[in-house]
Amino acid sequence: NKETITCPDINKISTTAKSMIQNTLWNLGGLSFDEGSVNELYTKERGTQVYNDHETKSSDYIGLIYPSDYGFASTDESCSQDPFDITCKNNNWLYKGFWYWTISPNSSNAFGVFGVHSAGHLNNYSALYRGGVRPSVYLKSDIMIVSGSGTKGDMFKLG
């Protein structure tokens, strides 16, 4: 319905963290099921093929990951060729064993959206399903890593 909803927990983000996040143009190009390689997904996500008159771009501070982000996050070579394959969970820092949405709609119907299945592959789902989300942000270009190694025990600190 092209409605906007407000995330009730947005105020849990500190003022300092909010000041580091860049307002971004999010691409909403649609995909078809089992579209192709990760590079092909990346191109389609930035395209204008959408169902009916759906939007192709949205500007905001917080979005969701793209299906191609999930494919690029795996070091398994077969995932780069087929991001809908279960091998995409192999050595993938975005695989967490739970089901969650991506930002990309299906281009062939009004209700399809792509998500990451708990088994570790991309799939197309009805937007009526309940699912988790993995928020995604772009940091402003002047934000730097000031300390930390990026591990769970020594997380990056930004400034």
Side-chain angles (χ1 to χ4, degrees), residues 27-83:
N27 296 291
L28 304 175
L31 308 171
S32 298
F33 182 72
D34 210 7
E35 190 70 43
S37 72
V38 174
N39 289 332
E40 290 170 310
L41 287 182
Y42 180 87
T43 300
K44 294 273 186 177
E45 292 160 357
R46 282 137 188 84
T48 58
Q49 183 179 347
V50 293
Y51 182 77
N52 208 355
D53 64 343
H54 287 189
E55 299 294 329
T56 59
K57 300 199 182 291
S58 177
S59 180
D60 215 327
Y61 288 91
I62 301 174
L64 300 176
I65 71 165
Y66 293 98
S68 64
D69 291 336
Y70 185 74
F72 286 130
S74 174
T75 59
D76 191 302
E77 181 58 33
S78 62
C79 182
S80 66
Q81 297 307 311
D82 184 5

Side-chain angles (χ1 to χ4, degrees), residues 103-124:
I103 199 167
S104 297
N106 188 313
S107 60
S108 60
N109 61 55
F111 55 85
V113 184
F114 286 84
V116 175
H117 190 278
S118 59
H121 61 279
L122 291 170
N123 209 339
N124 178 47

Side-chain angles (χ1 to χ4, degrees), residues 145-157:
I145 297 171
V146 295
S147 67
S149 62
T151 64
K152 189 174 185 177
D154 187 27
M155 291 189 233
F156 289 134
K157 291 189 177 117

Side-chain angles (χ1 to χ4, degrees), residues 118-140:
S118 59
H121 61 279
L122 291 170
N123 209 339
N124 178 47
Y125 301 97
S126 169
L128 297 175
Y129 293 152
R130 290 179 174 237
V133 294
R134 300 282 308 272
S136 181
V137 298
Y138 285 85
L139 298 176
K140 292 180 178 176

